[in-house]
Structures are given as structure tokens and as C-alpha cells.
Amino acid sequence: MEHQLYITVLGLAGLLGLAVLMLPAAQRLNFPYTVLLAAVGLLLGIALELTGELQLGGPLGDFLAALENFEITSEAVLFVFLPALVFESAMAIDVRRLMDDIGPILLLAIVGLLISTVAVGIAVHMVSGMGLVVCLLLGAIVSATDPVAVVAIFKDLGAPKRLAILVEGESLFNDATASVVFTILLAMLLGTAEPGLVSGISDFLVVFVGGIAVGYVCAYLVCFLLRWLSGQEVAEITITISLAYLSFILAEHYLHVSGVMAVVTAALVVGSIGRTTIVPRTWHALIETWEQIGFWANSIIFVLVGLAVPFILEGIGLREVGLLAVLIVVAFVARAFIIFVMLPVFSRTGLAENVSTGYRSVMFWGGLRGAVSLALALAVMENQTLSTEVREFVGILVTGFVLFTLFVNATTIGVVLRLFGLDELSPADLATRRRALVSSLTGIGSRLERTALERELDPELARKAVQQYRSRAEEARNRLDDGEEMSDDDWVHIGLTTLSTQESNGYFRLFADRLVAPKIARILLARSNDNLDGLRAGGLEGYLASVKRALAFDWRFRLGLLLQRRFGISRPLAGQLADRFEFLLAMRTQLREQLADGLTQVGSVVSDGSMNRLRDILEKRLGDTAKALDALELQYPDYAKRLEERHLGLLALRLERASYDQMRRHSLIGKEIYGNLAHELRRRFAELNQRPRLDLGLKPEKLIHRVPFFSGLSAERTAEVAKLLRPRLVIPGERILSKGEPGDAMYFIPNGVVEVSLSADTVQLGSGDFFGEMALLSDSPRNADVTAKGFCDLLVLWVRDFRQLIDKDPQLRETIEAVAKERLDYGSAR
Ligand code: CMP
């Protein structure tokens, strides 16, 4: 029959319509949606076989004819469905969480897959008598757990986050491994490649790492484009869709590296950087669009998988059933070995965090196979250069195995979760739930009573409803201490988790309101995530350590400092200082808000006893942050003023925009006027958005005038001396000199305060003073430690220039010697 386009469209639309009908059915039957789809596909496939002869007409007949024509090919799965599905699931993964468990994930995805491939290959080879390479190929195909099936099932089940990440991470990464092993084995089978372990391993590494590189570069470019497209919501979303497909095809087809790895990497990059590149409103729309795409692809592919089954299984006989049984047993034994033996050993080496028995059992049973295995099997079946026997062998066994995991594992994985209590709330969550219930129910009774009165509802009915609420609240209050094994420490932990999440949300709001730049938002979010990680890994101590680190000078800052000191390049350091200014300002704002407001809200879900401690922790954080900011403001007061001015400007713009939005909503101004105003607003925003340049002010010819020591020199001589002096910025707490070191320079302080630690006490030196002269004069080691109290500008005079200076100006020598003697006397008098 001539196939017309409308029939294809009819088929696709019909399939989608049919698929969504399964959604409520799956809910009602408490059965995994995807498995139900595969079952529907299977039934449709059987129906097709039966009605093939009937030649039905009308829409139904055309629909069935369309389905018959939807021959699912390996290319369709790889190039149409996989990029979208992999991108969607990888984008939803929290990269930090993934990195926490990257050890076990890679172990499972690479070593585990290889072990399973070899075990299945050898066992099936021995039982079936088929060639070893064919059996290894089969092993590689059936060993890859499938992200599509796994993610779909775990989403349905509501499994704990870490467990989901372990299983999803494994399934995403092992597809790459499997397809590489597959390609290598297929080449051997076709005689285009020599079998060899070394070449196999190097091929593998190139393909794996190459895929990551392609994905990274593509995603990076897209993030750049996103900044450029900012504000054009539809364009921003579309470019991510392009990214998923382009990175896959570029990697897989043109560069012959792993397409799956490219898509996974691209999605992870967009998922982490994109969040602070795209404004939150667009981000939500983006996630929703991807969910929609994922749902369509998922719905169609599972039906198509089911549809293909009867056709593939046509040649199945008793021998195949026997082989399938062997395959299933060996594959599961291999998985058990990896998860129950290798993983614990690996954890014991300290390379990976421990994984509990419950989690391991779920991982064992939850390793579903699906579209990826089927696509690889289809690639074998479509390959005409292989013998019919090999093609049927692979096709039947893989399909049988996939069906087994879908219909047996996927439908019973919920039981395993329940067995280990993994579907229940943890004791901490339960305790929080009880408190949330009490604080919500309390007060609802009286509010309801008031509303009923106002709306003149039937007083008798209202009284009943109110009474009901009161007794529920009462009951909840009585049960508050049920099984309360939570200590105040536990509550502090919960409170800090909640506060950290609140903090992140606060930064997102600042970012959404454009009060902080994307780069600063990223810094802030990274720090607040670090705090959460610290809390998870090391409890309160870990949290406090992380909080302290957040205010410390990180490697970027130190690099800037180094560049300035060694090479006199100031820009990076100035940039770092400006960043520090901004993130400290935002952090202070956020912490103030939390102390004023957020903490009270947290009070409704944590115990009263922990509230004081939480308040102390927040207050200490606010104090430290304010101190760090004060140190900066003291050093760069002009810049601080300009930043504040800009902040006020941005706040005003935000208010202005809100006001226009409101007028537009109330139809007081039309679209044209609004557009005109918004345009003007954008222009002013762009102006304000340029942050002022921070001038380090490290100019010896200026700074020298702040040191009285040089005031007696003629203007000409001052200019000469200035050339000998090297400016240097030191940061709070930095040790400038250490006792006992040889003296190589002396220092003048144009701005700032340092502390000299003598053996008995400490002396502070401030703007205009100098230090480090004693070691130079007497050729002896430094006699004290000198540390910066805050930021200081220093002028450094190296020993050679020092000698030259005092030889030329005896007056200066006398002054220095007098000061040094005084200091020495002071020291010996103690
Ligand atoms: P130097 O010994 O080179 O290194 C340590 C410096 O600390 C020393 O030079 C002086 O500049 C400074 N120093 C030592 N003692 C005192 C003091 N009593 N008062 C102020 N500064 C001092």
C-alpha cells in the first residue's frame, strides 16, 4: 500500500494519545508506567500479527498500518530518542551529589560492566557453543543498565536521593562503556580489527574521554550563547535542544567518540552553570519543556520496544529459552558479585563512601535494561554481513533479557525498597513532619471560625468543622514526643540544613532580581552548597569549618596576589577584591534577613531547644562576615561607596520595573507604552550593571607621601627614592615577617596596621610607621613576627636599595637607627 505522510502522523499522534491513557491506569494499578507502555506495545504487536491478514480499513486500520511501518531501527533509537532522554535525565542530576559518589559510580559503570561482559560471554559461550566474540558481544549488550528505564522507575518510586543518583549515574555512564566495548567487539567479529587488550583499553579511553571533551566544549559554547540570548526565553530553551542533538551527532558520527558521554557531560554542564546563567523564570520553563520532551520520547519508545518484540521473538524455541535462563542467572550473579563483593571492598579502601546493604540490594535488583540494549541488539540484527544465526541469537536473547528485567525486576523493585524501609521517611523526617503538622494545624481552627462567620456559613456546620480541626491539632500536639529520639544536636543539624537551603534560595532571589551578577551568584551558591556538604559529611564541625573557609582567601585570590607581587599585574587581584566585596555584601544581606525572618520560620519545624544554638551560629556568621567586609571597606572606602550607590540604583530599578509590571497587569498602560518603558529600563540597567573598577592604588610615588620618614627629602630625591620602593598589598592575618628568618628587606606602612609579636607582648604599628629595619642594620635574624591586622598597603625596600639609601642620606640612617635602638631597648626592658 502506498504510504502517505498523514498515516505516519496518525500513527504518532495515536500512539501518544494511547500512551497518556496509560498514565492514570498505571496510577490506579500501582504499576510502573513504562512497563505498562511496553505491555501495550507488546499487545499491539501481537494484534498486528493477527490482523495483518484482515486488511482493516478506516482510521483504525490506517493506525495499525502506520504502526506496522514504524520499524524501530537502531539509528532511530540512537539519534532520535537517546540524546533527548539522556539529556533530560542528566540535566536533572545534581552534579555535586554525583561527584560525591563518582567513585562507586565509575566502578560500577566501567569495571562492573567489563566483569559482567566477560562472565556472561564465557558462560553463554560454554553452554551454547557459539563463538566467544559473539558471546562477549552479547555480554556487553546485556550488561548496560538503561538510564531511560531506571530513571523512569526511580522517579515513580520516590527513592532516596543518593540511591537514585547511584543507580542513575551508573546507568548513564555504563552506556558509554557498553557502546565502546560493543564497537570494538563488533569490529573484531567483522574482522576489521585485531583482538587485543592494549589497543582495546586505549581505544576505550580515547572514546570515553573524547566524548566528555566534546560535550564540555559544546556546552560551554552554548552557555556563552545563552548569556547573549538572555531574555529571549524560547531561544534559550531551543538552544539547549540543539545542544543535546548536536553534541551527540558531532561526537558519535563525526569524531567517533562516545555520543552518550558527550550528551551526559553537556547536560551536566548546563544543569550546573545554566542555573545561574538563565534567569529563574526561564529556567523553570526550560525544565518543563525538557520534561515534556522526555515524556514524549519515553512514551513512544517503550511502546515501540514492545511492538518490536513479537517480531524479534518469532524464532524462539526451547533451546533459546534454556539459553535465556542461563543468561539471566549469570548476569545477575555477576551483578551480585560486583555490588555485594567488589563495592564493599572498594569502600574499605576509602576511595568511595560506604553504601548500605539496603541500597545495594536495590541497586542489584534495579539494574534494568531497556532501549540502549535493544538499540545495540538491533544494530546487530540489521547488519547483513553477519550470519542469520548470530543475528537471531543476539536479537532473541537480548530481547528476552530486556523483557525479563522490565516485567520482573521493574514490577518488583518497589517490594525491595519497602523491604528495607527505603520508601519511608527517615526518623528525622518523621519528627520534622510532626512539627510541621502541629505548627500548620494550630490556629487553623480559629481562622476557619472567623471566615465562616464573615461569609455567613451555616454556624452548626462551621462549628463541627472547626471542632474537627481543633481535635486534630490537639492530637498532633500529643503525638509530638512520640518516639522522639531526636537530640538537640539532631535538631541543630536539621535546622542548619533548612537554613542553608533557605540561604541558597535567597541568593537565587537576589540573582533573579538582578541585584547580584551571575558570577557572584555562582560563588555564593557554591559556598552555601559547600556548607551543606560540610554538614552532611562532618556534622556541625564540618559546617563550621566550611563556613570559615567561605570567608577565607581562596586559591584564585592568592593567585591574583602572586601575580601582583611577582609581576606587578594588578587586574586579577583587583577583580578578586571586587568579587569579594560583592559576595560579602550579598552574604551579609542574606544573613541579616535570615536572622530577622528566616530563623523564625525554621522555628516551626525544629525543637525549641535548638533555636538558641541556631541563632548563635547565624549571629556568629553574620559577625564574621561583617568583620571581613569592614576590613575591605576600611581599605577601599571610595569603592565601598560606589558599590553602595550602584546597589541603591539597582534596587530603585527593580522597584520601578515592579511598578510598570503592576500597571500593565491592571491595564493602566498598554503593551506599547510598557515596551517603551521597559526598553528604557533595560538601557539604564545595562549602564548600572557595569561594575566600577577597583583601583588598588599601589603607586609608590603617591604612597610615599603618607610616610613621614621621607618628608624631609627634596621633591626630586623623593621621586628617586620612590623608584626604589615596591608596593605590595597584604591581606588580613598574613604573616609578613617571621622571627629568626634572615632579613632581606624593610617595610613602610602607608596604609594599614600590623602587629609585632615580641616574646612578652605585642606592639601595633600603623600608617606612617616602618618595620623590618633591625635585621638589616645589625645583619642579624628577624627578632619578631610581624602580621597584618587588616588589609595593608606596604612599600618594600630591598636590602641593596636600603644600603644605597642610607649611605646617601645620613639623616635617614640616623632616624632609622634611633628608632631601632628604642625598639631594642624596649625589648630588653621586658
Ligand atoms: P626585624 O628584626 O628585621 O624584624 C622584626 C621587626 O619587628 C623588627 O625588625 C622591627 O622592625 C620590629 N620590632 C621589633 N621590636 C619592636 C618593638 N619593640 N616595637 C616596634 N617594632 C619592633
Side-chain angles (χ1 to χ4, degrees):
M1 182 183 78
E2 193 198 345
H3 198 71
Q4 285 173 302
L5 188 59
Y6 80 89
I7 295 199
T8 313
V9 178
L10 175 76
L12 274 177
L15 263 191
L16 276 179
L18 194 68
V20 290
L21 292 185
M22 293 306 120
L23 212 52
Q27 243 155 30
R28 189 155 309 162
L29 300 173
N30 201 7
F31 197 75
Y33 172 61
T34 44
V35 183
L36 201 59
L37 286 178
V40 168
L42 194 69
L43 290 179
L44 274 176
I46 295 172
L48 278 181
E49 300 265 302
L50 298 179
T51 56
E53 257 64 317
L54 297 180
Q55 291 290 347
L56 287 174
L60 188 65
D62 282 350
F63 175 59
L64 290 178
L67 290 189
E68 223 170 352
N69 272 294
F70 280 155
E71 221 180 283
I72 182 170
T73 62
S74 60
E75 285 207 317
V77 179
L78 283 181
F79 289 103
V80 179
F81 292 98
L82 210 57
L85 289 164
V86 168
F87 195 88
E88 194 240 341
S89 36
M91 199 167 60
I93 286 188
D94 182 341
V95 183
R96 291 174 154 268
R97 288 281 190 94
L98 182 77
M99 284 303 160
D100 283 348
D101 276 316
I102 195 75
I105 287 175
L106 287 183
L107 178 86
L108 291 170
I110 299 175
V111 186
L113 184 118
L114 292 177
I115 290 182
S116 168
T117 302
V118 173
V120 169
I122 292 179
V124 176
H125 169 65
M126 283 185 343
V127 182
S128 70
M130 283 296 263
L132 181 62
V133 181
V134 174
C135 295
L136 285 173
L137 192 71
L138 174 73
I141 299 177
V142 296
S143 298
T145 56
D146 182 61
V148 183
V150 167
V151 173
I153 293 285
F154 276 75
K155 246 189 220 158
D156 275 359
L157 287 171
K161 208 168 172 186
R162 181 174 177 219
L163 181 57
I165 285 199
L166 280 167
V167 191
E168 290 176 21
E170 179 201 3
S171 67
L172 284 171
F173 286 105
N174 73 7
D175 282 342
T177 322
S179 54
V180 179
V181 175
F182 173 83
T183 314
I184 296 172
L185 286 170
L186 193 64
M188 290 179 191
L189 195 63
L190 296 173
T192 50
E194 281 297 308
L197 196 62
V198 178
S199 66
I201 291 177
S202 71
D203 278 2
F204 173 75
L205 284 179
V206 169
V207 173
F208 199 82
V209 177
I212 295 179
V214 172
Y216 190 83
V217 172
C218 290
Y220 202 83
L221 286 177
V222 163
C223 284
F224 184 75
L225 277 176
L226 280 173
R227 244 165 263 161
W228 187 62
L229 289 173
S230 179
Q232 327 255 333
E233 196 171 297
V234 276
E236 288 177 72
I237 296 172
T238 311
I239 196 119
T240 62
I241 299 174
S242 269
L243 172 67
Y245 284 97
L246 292 185
S247 58
F248 186 87
I249 294 177
L250 194 65
E252 188 83 20
H253 188 73
Y254 289 100
L255 299 171
H256 304 292
V257 291
S258 169
V260 177
M261 277 321 296
V263 180
V264 170
T265 312
L268 289 175
V269 172
V270 170
S272 54
I273 301 184
R275 276 210 82 177
T276 43
T277 307
I278 302 172
V279 292
R281 201 168 43 109
T282 310
W283 181 255
H284 283 303
L286 177 87
I287 295 290
E288 271 170 20
T289 308
W290 269 106
E291 269 180 13
Q292 188 70 69
I293 294 175
F295 176 75
W296 289 338
N298 228 336
S299 301
I300 293 180
I301 197 159
F302 274 92
V303 180
L304 289 186
V305 164
L307 265 175
V309 168
F311 163 72
I312 299 174
L313 290 186
E314 243 165 12
I316 196 163
L318 217 52
R319 182 180 115 91
E320 282 75 19
V321 174
L323 282 178
L324 184 60
V326 174
L327 172 63
I328 291 170
V329 172
V330 179
F332 276 99
V333 170
R335 192 163 173 80
F337 171 77
I338 297 156
I339 288 178
F340 291 108
V341 181
M342 253 175 52
L343 194 56
V345 171
F346 191 64
S347 301
R348 224 160 284 151
T349 59
L351 284 173
E353 297 245 343
N354 205 19
V355 181
S356 72
T357 316
Y359 276 23
R360 274 189 267 136
S361 309
V362 176
M363 288 164 75
F364 166 69
W365 201 239
L368 309 177
R369 320 298 204 269
V372 175
S373 297
L374 225 50
L376 294 177
L378 284 169
V380 172
M381 294 173 71
E382 291 156 9
N383 197 322
Q384 300 295 339
T385 43
L386 294 170
S387 70
T388 321
E389 195 193 359
V390 167
R391 287 190 286 160
E392 277 194 353
F393 174 79
V394 172
I396 290 176
L397 288 184
V398 174
T399 312
F401 189 67
V402 169
L403 287 185
F404 182 86
T405 63
L406 279 188
F407 285 102
V408 178
N409 294 56
T411 53
T412 50
I413 184 76
V415 179
V416 182
L417 268 175
R418 272 192 295 279
L419 203 66
F420 288 94
L422 293 175
D423 58 333
E424 290 161 14
L425 292 180
S426 66
D429 285 345
L430 273 177
T432 311
R433 180 187 182 276
R434 280 197 291 271
R435 283 182 187 270
L437 204 60
V438 171
S439 81
S440 304
L441 290 181
T442 309
I444 287 194
S446 18
R447 285 219 301 274
L448 188 62
E449 201 166 26
R450 243 190 343 256
T451 316
L453 211 66
E454 275 164 21
R455 304 204 175 159
E456 300 178 8
L457 300 176
D458 183 278
E460 187 53 28
L461 287 177
R463 202 184 51 77
K464 250 196 199 148
V466 167
Q467 196 47 44
Q468 247 173 18
Y469 258 95
R470 295 230 160 103
S471 51
R472 263 186 76 196
E474 183 64 30
E475 200 184 323
R477 247 192 307 281
N478 290 338
R479 295 187 47 195
L480 202 54
D481 296 326
D482 267 9
E484 187 89 334
E485 296 119 8
M486 304 277 295
S487 65
D488 269 351
D489 280 351
D490 296 336
W491 282 120
V492 169
H493 193 109
I494 294 176
L496 285 178
T497 312
T498 317
L499 284 170
S500 297
T501 318
Q502 229 181 37
E503 193 179 331
S504 297
N505 291 341
Y507 295 142
F508 265 121
R509 265 200 307 280
L510 286 176
F511 164 65
D513 290 342
R514 301 203 171 187
L515 291 171
V516 305
K519 180 174 163 204
I520 305 299
R522 265 198 290 282
I523 297 179
L524 289 162
L525 286 167
R527 306 235 156 148
S528 110
N529 280 330
D530 282 344
N531 294 347
L532 258 182
D533 287 351
L535 184 67
R536 252 202 315 269
L540 181 59
E541 260 170 52
Y543 176 84
L544 294 176
S546 158
V547 162
K548 204 164 152 200
R549 257 199 313 277
L551 295 181
F553 297 92
D554 62 3
W555 63 268
R556 285 186 199 87
F557 194 94
R558 290 183 188 279
L559 185 68
L561 215 51
L562 189 84
L563 288 175
Q564 200 283 321
R565 284 182 192 173
R566 281 281 152 83
F567 308 106
I569 304 172
S570 303
R571 267 212 60 177
L573 180 60
Q576 285 294 326
L577 279 165
D579 284 354
R580 187 173 169 81
F581 245 121
E582 284 194 71
F583 88 72
L584 285 175
L585 271 170
M587 205 179 255
R588 189 179 64 183
T589 311
Q590 175 59 26
L591 288 171
R592 273 187 188 149
E593 213 167 89
Q594 284 198 301
L595 263 168
D597 230 15
L599 192 64
T600 329
Q601 293 161 10
V602 173
S604 60
V605 287
V606 304
S607 77
D608 305 337
S610 62
M611 281 298 279
N612 283 338
R613 283 174 60 193
L614 288 174
R615 182 176 299 280
D616 287 350
I617 293 170
L618 272 189
E619 270 170 0
K620 167 99 177 34
R621 274 192 68 188
L622 178 59
D624 290 347
T625 310
K627 218 163 83 188
L629 198 56
D630 286 346
L632 266 178
E633 284 176 349
L634 207 65
Q635 174 74 3
Y636 303 106
D638 293 342
Y639 189 73
K641 276 235 173 60
R642 282 166 68 192
L643 271 188
E644 199 160 320
E645 219 172 356
R646 171 170 169 247
H647 190 73
L648 274 169
L650 287 170
L651 268 178
L653 275 189
R654 189 172 67 99
L655 294 176
E656 203 176 323
R657 194 182 59 194
S659 155
Y660 296 158
D661 283 348
Q662 202 184 13
M663 286 183 149
R664 170 98 185 91
R665 261 201 310 281
H666 295 168
S667 312
L668 298 175
I669 51 176
K671 203 171 166 191
E672 287 78 24
I673 302 179
Y674 178 81
N676 187 282
L677 288 169
H679 183 77
E680 166 69 12
L681 216 53
R682 267 202 294 281
R683 195 187 55 72
R684 290 194 5 238
F685 175 78
E687 262 171 35
L688 266 181
N689 207 24
Q690 295 288 345
R691 90 170 161 199
R693 275 279 276 286
L694 187 144
D695 182 8
L696 292 180
L698 291 176
K699 296 196 182 58
E701 61 280 7
K702 290 231 173 78
L703 291 174
I704 194 169
H705 295 296
R706 301 184 56 94
V707 184
F709 177 78
F710 297 111
S711 56
L713 299 178
S714 68
E716 203 181 315
R717 181 76 186 123
T718 308
E720 264 173 47
V721 173
K723 290 215 177 73
L724 301 178
L725 298 168
R726 300 278 161 266
R728 171 183 292 183
L729 175 74
V730 294
I731 56 179
E734 183 174 348
R735 170 84 63 92
I736 306 164
L737 294 182
S738 297
K739 191 173 172 168
E741 272 179 6
D744 52 2
M746 77 169 286
Y747 300 79
F748 299 91
I749 317 176
N751 295 307
V753 178
V754 302
E755 191 170 76
V756 182
S757 312
L758 303 169
S759 41
D761 61 357
T762 58
V763 176
Q764 292 203 350
L765 301 175
S767 301
D769 285 328
F770 57 79
F771 61 91
E773 77 294 351
M774 292 167 90
L776 302 193
L777 284 174
S778 59
D779 237 343
S780 55
R782 301 283 188 205
N783 74 357
D785 289 337
V786 181
T787 320
K789 290 287 283 177
F791 286 96
C792 305
D793 294 326
L794 298 180
L795 287 169
V796 187
L797 181 63
W798 294 102
V799 60
R800 219 189 44 222
D801 303 328
F802 169 78
R803 302 237 185 278
Q804 200 195 348
L805 180 76
I806 57 172
D807 285 349
K808 239 185 176 171
D809 291 284
Q811 183 64 40
L812 293 183
R813 172 194 289 269
E814 266 168 44
T815 319
I816 295 190
E817 278 175 350
V819 171
K821 180 165 179 327
E822 211 174 280
R823 288 175 176 176
L824 198 64
D825 291 346
Y826 178 87
S828 45
R830 293 257 121 191

